[in-house]
Amino acid sequence: MVIVTTIRRDVLTIPAAELGPSNPLPPLRPLDEMHRIDERDKDGLPRDMARQIGYEPLRSVLPERIRDGYERQRAAREMDTIVIENDRLRATVLPGYGGRVGSLFHKPSQRELLYRNPVLQPACFALNGAWFSGGIEWNIGATGHTTLSCSPVHAARVPAPDGGEMLRLWEWERLRDLPFQVDLWLPDGSDFLYVGVRIRNPHEKPAPVYWWTNIAVPEERRVLAPADEAWHFGYERRLRRVPVPEFEEVDRTYPLNSTFPADYFYEVPDGRRRWIAALDDAGDGLVQTSTDVLRGRKLFVWGSGPGGRRWQEWLTEPGTGGYCEIQAGLARTQLEHVRLDAESDVSWLEAYGPLAVDAEAVHGADWEAARAEAETRLEASLPRGDVDAAYDAWLPHADAEPGEVLAVGSGWGALEVRRAAYKLPGTPFDASTLGDAQAPWLELLRSGAFPEPRRVGPPGETLVASHWRDMLETAPAAPLAEYHLGVAQWHAGDLAQAVRSWERALELAPSLWPLLRCLAVADQEAGNRERAADRYAEAFDDLCRERRDNGEVWTAATAALGREAMGALLAVRRVADARAVWERLRPATRSRGRFRLIEAQLLLAEGEVGAAREVFDAGFDVADLREGAEVISELWARLTDEPLPGRYEFRMRPPGD
């Protein structure tokens, strides 16, 4: 009997770490995003690439908050999934985690086509912190993993082009203020999952757009793409054109042949079909292809070196196998953003499915023959013309109104629709999704005044887009309105005016520490480290007097501000003051790995080298260690000449680079 395509809710039980609370301090400084080009490499780039690398780089992750409240204790947890299934494929989607496709299972061959992580362990790889590895992720916003990596998105059933049903995912991406949708469907009897993507710009001015689809696959593969050259980018931040498949006499299309983590952005010639495949020793694996708008293709490898292997263990269970990523994006590289004109949209179609080819041809010495074999088999399985036809068939359904709601995302899109009366057929942002986070902004929109809180507590999120900043500038100058206005002005680059807004608010504010912390960051950015330290110390004192309980919100605020304050005080050698901050942290906070590292730094500053070494010997894990960070290895080198223990080996570049 033929099984028709179905969409159903399900529950997945998996060892997972809790996400914990978000950092309540506004991220006035950008995270140290690794994907920045060295100035010496800008000359000689293709003109369009150079232009797009310089187009509207991200200044900060505002209005988002940093998600750093997770640890590494995992327990079996249930998470909602949505399963799309026909008689050939079964796709499992995680609507609470950015709509990621966690699994794509091919029934006839009984093979999982993706790297399916057996755990859910957040790590600091997203632009705003928490991210996890595995599956197919939809990266929108700016260079890096999306801020929606661990956030819910809206999901519903909609009519599919073939008369059946498809799953629509949609959200409002806040870094660029753009709504987007991802439509997934399985035509009856198809070996390929179809994915239609649309990004809209409803505004009256152009917007920078970024999109890369990241597909995790087991790393014991050869990766094929229709290219003879690639742009190599490593954690030494050099961008250079290299030959494919061999670079420095090593075939880099096998992920484990590289020693250090690296990106290879393939230079696919104009007119060639867009595709990328990862195939095992038997010639079996996954292929991804798309319409031509999604022009870029990339291979990311962790490499075989100790740093890459440690990161692989960090993101999953040791001994469960590693992964690499094959990717597809709107530009040649992930360093670029493309322009989306006012009141317009961009859309394309992707397809994912199994590919079985002659193993000898794929793994032979002739690169052209290997690519030709894969492309011939792909054309036989899914002709290029069929992908274009599927896109044309989907496009009229992109505006179809959703039916049964299967998951609910944030209320930020509903707030923007309420503000500007946007007409966004197919992606409704219903007023029912508005919640406590949006409430004060609704009041600003309704009355022109930002409401003061009824009780003292950490301020809520700040909206920083120009239209909200304009409303804050005309609102009555109450302390909380001035605080939010300063954050919005800071984000816009008007640093002096931001400082004036925060200083005005200090005169009447019942809660001083949020303002003092913002002013301390401004002092640091201006190079005034002593005054920054003073303000941080004063801010932490005020917070300790004000905090009302041991609840999650106050504990998160104390930890976040204490961490920054100790860093600022140690930077100007005020070791005793840093120790005083340490002593007022909660014991549970001091036991966290991030704070154990700070304890070692504090002990070293106090001249207690042996005690600092004992912290390392006892062992700690910095759960939110940033991708590419070398703070652990740098501190170890100050304590001893001994080799860095493997537990702390996270270096992602050659020594000295």
Side-chain angles (χ1 to χ4, degrees):
M1 182 179 73
V2 175
I3 302 175
V4 297
T5 301
T6 61
I7 299 176
R8 58 183 168 85
R9 288 192 182 97
D10 206 343
V11 175
L12 173 67
T13 301
I14 187 174
E18 287 192 35
L19 284 170
S22 294
N23 189 320
L25 307 182
L28 301 179
R29 287 181 291 256
L31 290 177
D32 186 17
E33 169 53 43
M34 298 302 300
H35 293 87
R36 292 186 286 109
I37 188 173
D38 192 295
E39 288 294 327
R40 58 188 162 173
D41 292 329
K42 289 186 177 180
D43 294 337
L45 294 178
R47 185 174 301 175
D48 62 332
M49 182 189 293
R51 181 178 66 251
Q52 291 177 169
I53 286 174
Y55 177 50
E56 294 288 339
L58 194 67
R59 290 190 293 269
S60 79
V61 298
L62 286 166
E64 295 283 359
R65 288 286 174 86
I66 303 301
R67 308 196 72 166
D68 60 3
Y70 53 88
E71 287 296 326
R72 295 188 56 79
Q73 292 77 41
R74 296 191 286 268
R77 305 184 194 280
E78 292 185 348
M79 57 186 66
D80 293 332
T81 65
I82 302 172
V83 178
I84 314 168
E85 188 168 13
N86 67 2
D87 59 329
R88 311 287 293 178
L89 285 174
R90 180 172 63 247
T92 303
V93 178
L94 308 177
Y97 291 84
R100 188 175 305 201
V101 179
S103 169
L104 186 60
F105 185 77
H106 186 237
K107 297 179 181 180
S109 64
Q110 290 292 292
R111 288 191 294 113
E112 173 61 56
L113 299 180
L114 304 173
Y115 168 76
R116 183 175 184 174
N117 198 332
V119 304
L120 196 155
Q121 176 57 61
C124 192
F125 280 75
L127 286 162
N128 63 335
W131 171 88
F132 64 102
S133 63
I136 304 172
E137 56 176 311
W138 321 109
N139 287 295
I140 181 174
T143 298
H145 292 282
T146 177
T147 59
L148 296 168
S149 293
C150 292
S151 297
V153 297
H154 302 282
R157 301 177 191 269
V158 291
D162 61 359
E165 290 184 320
M166 60 184 175
L167 172 65
R168 174 161 300 157
L169 310 170
W170 74 99
E171 244 308 348
W172 194 281
E173 200 286 312
R174 300 175 68 202
L175 296 184
R176 302 301 194 181
D177 251 347
L178 302 176
F180 72 99
Q181 71 189 76
V182 178
D183 290 353
L184 304 95
W185 76 102
L186 283 169
D188 201 29
S190 173
D191 276 312
F192 283 84
L193 172 68
Y194 286 166
V195 181
V197 183
R198 177 169 63 173
I199 304 172
R200 286 165 154 156
N201 177 11
H203 306 296
E204 295 178 347
K205 61 180 182 179
V209 169
Y210 173 94
W211 182 281
W212 278 82
T213 304
N214 290 10
I215 309 134
V217 293
E219 64 186 350
E220 298 86 1
R221 299 288 187 270
R222 190 181 200 191
V223 174
L224 304 176
D228 293 311
E229 293 182 310
W231 294 92
H232 171 270
F233 186 84
Y235 284 78
E236 62 274 21
R237 295 178 175 172
R238 297 293 312 278
L239 182 67
R240 48 184 168 165
R241 195 192 297 257
V242 300
V244 176
E246 290 193 3
F247 164 46
E248 295 180 341
E249 300 182 351
V250 176
D251 189 334
R252 306 290 177 166
T253 62
Y254 291 92
L256 288 171
N257 282 356
S258 293
T259 303
F260 294 96
D263 300 326
Y264 294 91
F265 299 101
Y266 294 115
E267 188 69 68
V268 180
D270 291 342
R272 290 293 298 270
R273 183 175 186 176
R274 264 57 183 167
W275 62 272
I276 190 168
L279 306 174
D280 64 17
D281 289 344
D284 298 324
L286 172 78
V287 64
Q288 186 269 2
T289 187
S290 71
T291 49
D292 290 351
V293 167
L294 202 65
R295 66 171 296 183
R297 292 298 184 275
K298 171 193 161 183
L299 165 64
F300 167 75
V301 301
W302 283 108
S304 59
R309 304 330 295 166
R310 181 67 178 120
W311 275 114
Q312 292 269 35
E313 293 176 353
W314 190 251
L315 296 168
T316 185
E317 289 284 3
T320 56
Y323 75 97
C324 64
E325 287 179 352
I326 56 175
Q327 305 182 12
L330 284 174
R332 278 190 180 97
T333 73
Q334 288 172 333
L335 309 175
E336 304 168 64
H337 299 87
V338 300
R339 173 188 167 111
L340 183 58
D341 289 335
E343 299 177 338
S344 68
D345 62 65
V346 59
S347 60
W348 62 91
L349 184 128
E350 304 181 45
Y352 301 83
L355 191 65
V357 304
D358 180 76
E360 185 175 344
V362 166
H363 296 288
D366 190 329
W367 173 243
E368 181 58 40
R371 291 184 317 181
E373 166 70 9
E375 195 156 13
T376 298
R377 295 295 181 95
L378 171 60
E379 186 66 19
S381 300
L382 184 63
R384 184 179 186 179
D386 287 3
V387 175
D388 293 335
Y391 170 74
D392 292 338
W394 164 72
L395 205 53
H397 291 75
D399 285 346
E401 288 304 311
E404 180 191 4
V405 173
L406 300 173
V408 178
S410 77
W412 296 112
L415 179 66
E416 292 300 329
V417 168
R418 176 75 66 89
R419 179 191 65 81
Y422 292 127
K423 303 300 181 184
L424 301 169
T427 54
F429 293 94
D430 194 84
S432 64
T433 63
L434 293 164
D436 292 343
Q438 293 82 39
W441 299 94
L442 275 173
E443 179 61 24
L444 175 64
L445 188 62
R446 184 190 66 80
S447 69
F450 198 92
E452 287 294 303
R454 295 181 179 178
R455 63 180 64 181
V456 172
E461 297 178 61
T462 303
L463 298 182
V464 296
S466 58
H467 40 266
W468 293 108
R469 188 174 72 249
D470 291 344
M471 280 185 264
L472 287 168
E473 286 177 344
T474 58
L480 190 55
E482 290 287 300
Y483 162 82
H484 286 300
L485 175 58
V487 175
Q489 290 166 331
W490 181 272
H491 175 73
D494 193 351
L495 309 189
Q497 190 59 55
V499 168
R500 284 192 285 272
S501 295
W502 292 325
E503 288 176 340
R504 282 197 304 270
L506 274 177
E507 298 174 7
L508 297 174
S511 182
L512 302 181
W513 65 266
L515 296 159
L516 289 168
R517 182 264 176 176
C518 289
L519 290 167
V521 173
D523 285 333
Q524 286 180 322
E525 294 298 298
N528 194 336
R529 299 194 303 165
E530 286 288 351
R531 191 166 68 178
D534 287 340
R535 279 176 160 159
Y536 264 122
E538 186 181 354
F540 192 75
D541 287 343
D542 186 67
L543 170 60
C544 290
R545 287 191 296 268
E546 183 178 290
R547 63 186 178 190
R548 297 295 186 261
D549 52 47
N550 294 333
E552 183 178 83
V553 173
W554 283 109
T555 298
T558 305
L561 184 58
R563 178 172 163 178
E564 290 188 11
M566 285 186 288
L569 291 163
L570 287 175
V572 294
R573 297 183 174 85
R574 289 169 54 176
V575 181
D577 291 336
R579 174 61 71 179
V581 172
W582 171 266
E583 296 296 340
R584 284 178 289 174
L585 295 173
R586 308 289 191 197
T589 298
R590 293 201 297 262
S591 69
R592 295 176 60 185
R594 167 59 69 179
F595 288 86
R596 293 284 285 157
L597 175 62
I598 293 173
E599 182 183 18
Q601 294 170 322
L602 183 56
L603 287 166
L604 178 61
E606 292 170 331
E608 300 291 341
V609 177
R613 170 64 186 267
E614 288 175 4
V615 174
F616 276 85
D617 293 343
F620 60 86
D621 291 327
V622 181
D624 62 330
L625 185 68
R626 183 65 176 163
E627 171 191 10
E630 298 179 357
V631 59
I632 296 177
S633 56
E634 290 169 354
L635 181 58
W636 175 264
R638 294 174 63 195
L639 297 176
T640 177
D641 293 331
E642 297 176 25
L644 182 68
R647 176 174 187 162
Y648 306 115
E649 178 56 270
F650 292 96
R651 289 173 289 192
M652 302 175 77
R653 58 178 180 165
D657 282 354

